[in-house]
Amino acid sequence: MREQSPKEHFESAKKLGMKEYSNRVSNGEIGYLPSLEGIIKETEIVSHVDLDIMEIPLKKVVGTYSHLRSLSFSNGFMPILENNTEFMHKWESLCKVHLEEGIRDPIKVYEYLNWFYVVEGNKRVSVLKYFDAYSVTAHVTRLIPKLDNNNKTIQIYYEFLKFYNITKMNTIWFSKRNSFEKLTKLLDKYNPILPYYENKYKHFEVYIYNIFRRIYYSLGGDKLPITTGDAYLEYARIYGILDELDENELKKTIRELIKELKLFQKDELVDIQTTPIKANQGNMISTLTTFIMPPKKLKVAFVYARTIETSGWTYGHDLGRQYLEDMLGDQITTTYIENVPENGKAFPQIQALAEDGNDIIFTTSPVFKRDTLRCALKYPNIKFFNCSEYRPYKHMSNYYGRTYEPRFLTGIIAGSLTKTNILGYAATSPTHEVISCINAFAIGAKMVNPYAKVKVTWTKEWNSHDKFKDADKKLIEMGADIISNRNLTVPRDVTEKFGVYSMLCSVDTDTKEVIHHLAAPIWRWGIFYESIVKNVLNDTYRTIADLFGGESRLVNFWWGIASGALDIYYSKKYVPLETQKLVDLMRKMIINNDYNPFVGPIYDNEGNLVQKDEEVASSQDILKMTWFHDNVEPDTFTK
C-alpha cells in the first residue's frame, strides 16, 4: 500500500480539524484551541518556575499561549487554515521531518494547572498529535496562581504541586481533593523490582498507570465524567498498587469496576433503605446483578472478625445467623468462618466461600470492606453484603444501623447521672457514622443537663481491647465519671441475650474503677439477615433495568429502632425511674417518627449554625456528618 505524502497527511489532518470544529460550533462551543492569555487574564500569578527541558505527555498539551495562534487549529490541535498558505507548507515540512527522522527540537510551553499551552512549536504539536505520538520534548515554565480557598481546582493544583515535587509525575489528575495525598501514601508503600528504571515513580507511571489507562480507555472509561486518576485511585484502594499487571485479568477487573465508576460521586443514585423491605414489595431498589434462583437451598455464609467466644460484636452477629436459621432453616443453609484477619488480608478466606458455591456472603466488619469488594468484582453473580456505614457499591451493598438513635438515649442517661458534668466517649476514628453517634450522645446529654461536656478520645483501631482500655484511662484522667466505651466488661446475662459489645458505665474517679453498667445500644442482626435473605428468596431483588430503565442505584440498608434491628438496654436498678420514663418516651417518639435528635437549631463546637431552627437533618446529612456538637471536645486525631 502506497504511503501518503506530507501533503496528503495535511489534507487528512485538515478534514479532522474541520469536522471537530464544526461539531463543537454546532453544539454551541468554541471550535478553536483555548488560549492561556485569555484564561489567566484575571488571575494573579504569584510565581514563574523554570522546569527546564522535559518530556511532557501530548494529551496534556491543550492550547496555545496567544489567542491569535489558537485560531489556526481546531480544539484538538488539527489544522483548519486554507491550503497553499505558509502555514500549510511549514506543517508539511514538519510532517516530512517526523516521518524521516523524528521531530527532535523541543517546543516551548507554559504549564498552568497541570495543562500545557504552547508558546513556540504549535505546528510540531499538531503533527505529533495527528500521528498519535505519546509525548514531546518541551522547555516548561510553570505558572503558579495565587492560592484561592474558594476555588476547588486551584486547591487541587496545590496538592498536585506537593505530589509532583515527590514523584515528578504530571500525567495524573484528580477531580476530588486529598486524592494526591492518598495516592502518595499508596506509593510510599510501593517497592517494586526495577528492571528498567531506577526511579520507582517512573516505573509506576510506565508499567502500572499507563497500562491501566490504556485498558481503561479501550473499555470506554474515557467516556465517564471522571478523570483516569480518579478511576485508578478507586482501583488502587481496592487492590493496592501491584508489582506487575496481568493484562487479561486486569481487563476483566476494569470491566466490572467501570460499572461502579459510572456511579462515582452520584449521591442521588444511593437509595437509603431506612426500614426493612417486605418480601415482594414493589418498589424495592437493588444494585445487584440479576439473581437466578437455584434449584436448591440458598447457601449463606458469614465472615467474622475475632471469635464468637471472645468478641461481643462477633457473638451478636452469630446470634443473628442463628436467628436466620430458626426463621428460614428449611430454605437455607448457613456457614461461618471466624477469626478472619483484620489487617486487609481477608481476601483468600472470602474467595474460598465464593468458590464453595455460596449464594450470599455477609462480611460482618467494616475492616473487610475492601476485600469483600474485591471478591464482589470477581464474582458478580454472588450477592455480597458488608456490615459498614455509608458508601455502598453496585456489586456490594452495605448494611448498618442508625446507631445515633440509641446513642442519643444513652446520652440522656449519661447527662442525668454525671456528677462532674464531664462525660467520656471512646471512639475509633472520626468517620461520619462515629461523628453522628458522638453528636447524638452529646445532644441527649445536653437535653437534660446543659452543663454536660463530652470529651472524646480516639483509639485509631476498629476493635482493639488494649486501645480502648487506654482510652478509658485517659478519659478518667480528664475527669469523666460516665464513659461510653466499646470494649468494657459487660454482664454476661446481657451479652448472652443481645451480643452487646458497647456499654455506658459509671466510674469512680478516685479508684478509677467501673461502678455500674448503665446502658448500651443493642443490635438484633437477625432482623437484617431475615429481611435481606427473604427478599432474595422471594426474588424481590430485580434487575435495575426493569425498575429504572437502565439507571443503576446503590443500596444502603440503614435501619433504626423502629425496625427492631436496634434498641437500647438500660439497667432498671441503676438508672433512676424518672430518667427511665424520659428514655422510654423519647424512644417511643423516635419509633413513631415524632422526634429526630438532629433538629435545629444546632450549633457546632466552633459556633457555626449547622441546623436551622426546626430544620431536621436528612439521612444524607447524617450519613455525611463532619462537624461536632457545641458541647463536644474531641481529642486531636492524627492519622
Side-chain angles (χ1 to χ4, degrees):
M1 182 177 179
R2 183 180 69 84
E3 291 185 0
Q4 286 185 305
S5 68
K7 184 177 180 63
E8 289 170 324
H9 281 303
F10 178 81
E11 289 293 339
S12 297
K14 183 182 172 184
K15 286 180 182 179
L16 292 173
M18 293 306 299
K19 180 179 180 180
E20 181 182 44
Y21 176 86
S22 299
N23 288 340
R24 291 183 69 88
V25 170
S26 64
N27 289 328
E29 301 171 338
I30 296 174
Y32 303 113
L33 281 171
S35 63
L36 183 59
E37 63 180 0
I39 293 171
I40 64 173
K41 186 176 182 180
E42 305 296 329
T43 302
E44 181 179 351
I45 301 298
V46 297
S47 181
H48 291 64
V49 181
D50 186 352
L51 299 181
D52 209 348
I53 293 178
M54 58 192 296
E55 284 290 308
I56 62 173
L58 274 163
K59 70 184 180 73
K60 298 193 77 70
V61 180
V62 295
T64 64
Y65 174 73
S66 72
H67 172 68
L68 186 61
R69 292 193 177 185
S70 72
L71 303 180
S72 301
F73 304 95
S74 70
N75 194 267
F77 250 109
M78 293 299 102
I80 56 175
L81 292 182
E82 295 298 326
N83 292 351
N84 298 317
T85 61
E86 182 183 3
F87 177 95
M88 182 194 79
H89 295 308
K90 288 183 177 180
W91 198 99
E92 291 176 358
S93 296
L94 287 168
C95 178
K96 183 178 180 181
V97 170
H98 175 72
L99 292 172
E100 293 178 355
E101 57 188 88
I103 293 174
R104 298 194 181 103
D105 293 337
I107 63 173
K108 184 177 180 180
V109 301
Y110 282 125
E111 183 252 84
Y112 179 69
L113 299 181
N114 200 26
W115 297 104
F116 299 98
Y117 299 84
V118 184
V119 180
E120 295 176 7
N122 297 292
K123 288 181 282 296
R124 276 170 275 172
V125 170
S126 179
V127 170
L128 290 170
K129 279 185 174 272
Y130 170 73
F131 284 102
D132 199 26
Y134 176 75
S135 63
V136 62
T137 304
H139 189 286
V140 182
T141 301
R142 172 172 285 159
L143 304 183
I144 301 179
K146 181 180 179 181
L147 178 61
D148 182 353
N149 290 324
N150 295 316
N151 187 314
K152 180 182 174 184
T153 301
I154 291 179
Q155 287 179 310
I156 293 174
Y157 181 67
Y158 270 75
E159 293 173 2
F160 159 76
L161 292 178
K162 294 179 182 178
F163 175 80
Y164 180 83
N165 285 339
I166 296 170
T167 67
K168 295 298 182 285
M169 280 193 287
N170 55 20
T171 53
I172 299 174
W173 186 257
F174 296 105
S175 66
K176 295 177 68 176
R177 289 204 58 196
N178 303 316
S179 295
F180 280 109
E181 181 183 359
K182 292 173 183 175
L183 180 57
T184 301
K185 287 182 177 179
L186 289 170
L187 287 169
D188 285 344
K189 302 174 184 177
Y190 175 61
N191 294 297
I193 298 171
L194 302 174
Y196 301 110
Y197 294 99
E198 293 183 3
N199 184 305
K200 72 174 183 178
Y201 301 115
K202 188 65 178 177
H203 179 90
F204 163 78
E205 181 180 12
V206 173
Y207 293 104
I208 303 298
Y209 183 74
N210 284 348
I211 291 174
F212 176 91
R213 180 179 181 275
R214 173 168 51 79
I215 295 175
Y216 177 69
Y217 269 51
S218 73
L219 296 173
D222 58 322
K223 305 297 192 300
L224 272 59
I226 60 174
T227 71
T228 308
D230 292 331
Y232 178 76
L233 185 58
E234 287 295 304
Y235 170 86
R237 287 167 67 173
I238 299 169
Y239 296 94
I241 300 178
L242 305 179
D243 289 345
E244 57 181 324
L245 297 175
D246 180 325
E247 293 199 25
N248 291 328
E249 191 65 29
L250 183 62
K251 187 173 290 187
K252 296 177 186 176
T253 300
I254 293 178
R255 185 174 285 111
E256 295 299 321
L257 182 66
I258 283 176
K259 297 175 184 178
E260 299 288 350
L261 297 174
K262 286 179 179 178
L263 307 173
F264 191 77
Q265 294 180 314
K266 290 188 176 181
D267 286 337
E268 71 274 11
L269 295 181
V270 177
D271 187 68
I272 303 169
Q273 293 288 345
T274 56
T275 57
I277 296 89
K278 295 179 181 178
N280 294 323
Q281 186 171 318
N283 66 348
M284 173 59 192
I285 301 170
S286 171
T287 68
L288 306 176
T289 51
T290 306
F291 187 83
I292 301 173
M293 290 296 295
K296 60 179 179 62
K297 287 186 176 183
L298 278 182
K299 293 183 67 176
V300 184
F302 294 80
V303 178
Y304 298 149
R306 309 283 172 97
T307 67
I308 297 169
E309 289 295 321
T310 60
S311 168
W313 178 264
T314 295
Y315 180 64
H317 280 281
D318 198 61
L319 289 176
R321 181 190 65 81
Q322 294 175 38
Y323 177 89
L324 178 65
E325 282 194 336
D326 290 341
M327 301 301 293
L328 302 174
D330 58 335
Q331 301 174 74
I332 64 167
T333 60
T334 74
T335 186
Y336 67 86
I337 52 176
E338 58 182 341
N339 215 23
V340 175
E342 301 174 70
N343 56 1
K345 297 181 179 179
F347 177 78
Q349 288 90 329
I350 302 172
Q351 180 177 240
L353 292 173
E355 291 286 348
D356 196 37
N358 283 286
D359 305 298
I360 304 173
I361 298 176
F362 292 100
T363 58
T364 62
S365 166
V367 298
F368 299 143
K369 189 170 188 176
R370 191 187 78 165
D371 289 326
T372 305
L373 182 56
R374 282 184 63 189
C375 277
L377 289 166
K378 189 175 178 67
Y379 302 94
N381 292 321
I382 298 174
K383 285 182 167 60
F384 289 88
F385 297 85
N386 177 246
C387 183
S388 59
E389 57 173 299
Y390 188 64
R391 182 55 175 99
Y393 292 82
K394 180 178 176 62
H395 292 75
M396 177 192 80
S397 290
N398 67 331
Y399 62 103
Y400 212 71
R402 295 203 295 278
T403 44
Y404 71 87
E405 292 179 354
R407 292 292 186 189
F408 164 73
L409 299 175
T410 61
I412 292 175
I413 295 172
S416 300
L417 297 183
T418 179
K419 294 181 175 62
T420 65
N421 291 328
I422 299 176
L423 309 176
Y425 198 111
T428 52
S429 59
T431 63
H432 304 304
E433 190 270 337
V434 171
I435 291 173
S436 69
C437 286
I438 292 169
N439 286 337
F441 179 80
I443 290 169
K446 190 170 183 178
M447 176 181 285
V448 295
N449 182 351
Y451 305 105
K453 300 290 182 184
V454 179
K455 293 185 180 290
V456 181
T457 57
W458 309 105
T459 65
K460 303 178 187 176
E461 291 188 23
W462 180 75
N463 200 22
S464 168
H465 291 284
D466 291 337
K467 292 292 180 68
F468 276 99
K469 191 179 296 183
D470 292 341
D472 285 348
K473 183 178 179 181
K474 188 172 183 179
L475 291 167
I476 293 170
E477 290 171 352
M478 292 178 180
D481 62 341
I482 307 284
I483 295 177
S484 178
N485 189 304
R486 284 184 52 174
N487 283 287
L488 289 168
T489 303
V490 179
R492 188 61 182 167
D493 59 331
V494 178
T495 302
E496 289 181 348
K497 187 175 182 181
F498 300 118
V500 168
Y501 78 104
S502 174
M503 182 62 74
L504 182 76
C505 295
S506 58
V507 177
D508 187 318
T509 53
D510 292 326
T511 65
K512 318 299 184 190
E513 297 294 330
V514 170
I515 303 173
H516 301 305
H517 297 91
L518 302 174
I522 56 177
W523 298 81
R524 297 188 179 94
W525 293 110
I527 301 293
F528 281 95
Y529 296 137
E530 180 192 14
S531 180
I532 292 171
V533 174
K534 266 187 176 179
N535 280 279
V536 174
L537 286 167
N538 289 280
D539 202 21
T540 303
Y541 290 118
R542 281 174 276 170
T543 61
I544 293 304
D546 291 341
L547 295 173
F548 295 100
E551 181 65 283
S552 295
R553 295 180 74 90
L554 308 175
V555 175
N556 179 25
F557 297 95
W558 197 50
W559 302 340
I561 293 176
S563 69
L566 277 175
D567 213 332
I568 180 176
Y569 156 84
Y570 63 78
S571 170
K572 297 293 181 74
K573 180 177 180 180
Y574 299 120
V575 177
L577 182 59
E578 296 307 315
T579 304
Q580 293 182 37
K581 290 179 180 178
L582 177 59
V583 169
D584 290 344
L585 174 63
M586 298 308 298
R587 175 181 175 276
K588 188 175 293 185
M589 291 180 70
I590 289 172
I591 289 173
N592 294 332
N593 204 30
D594 293 327
Y595 184 78
N596 184 318
F598 295 109
V599 60
I602 296 177
Y603 291 85
D604 67 16
N605 60 359
E606 296 180 353
N608 302 308
L609 180 66
V610 293
Q611 212 72 45
K612 297 177 183 177
D613 189 24
E614 296 188 6
E615 179 184 36
V616 179
S618 67
S619 295
Q620 291 279 6
D621 291 336
I622 298 170
L623 285 165
K624 290 195 165 187
M625 194 167 286
T626 57
W627 50 267
F628 289 98
H629 195 261
D630 62 7
N631 63 333
V632 176
E633 298 177 5
D635 195 11
T636 301
F637 183 86
T638 304
K639 293 182 180 179

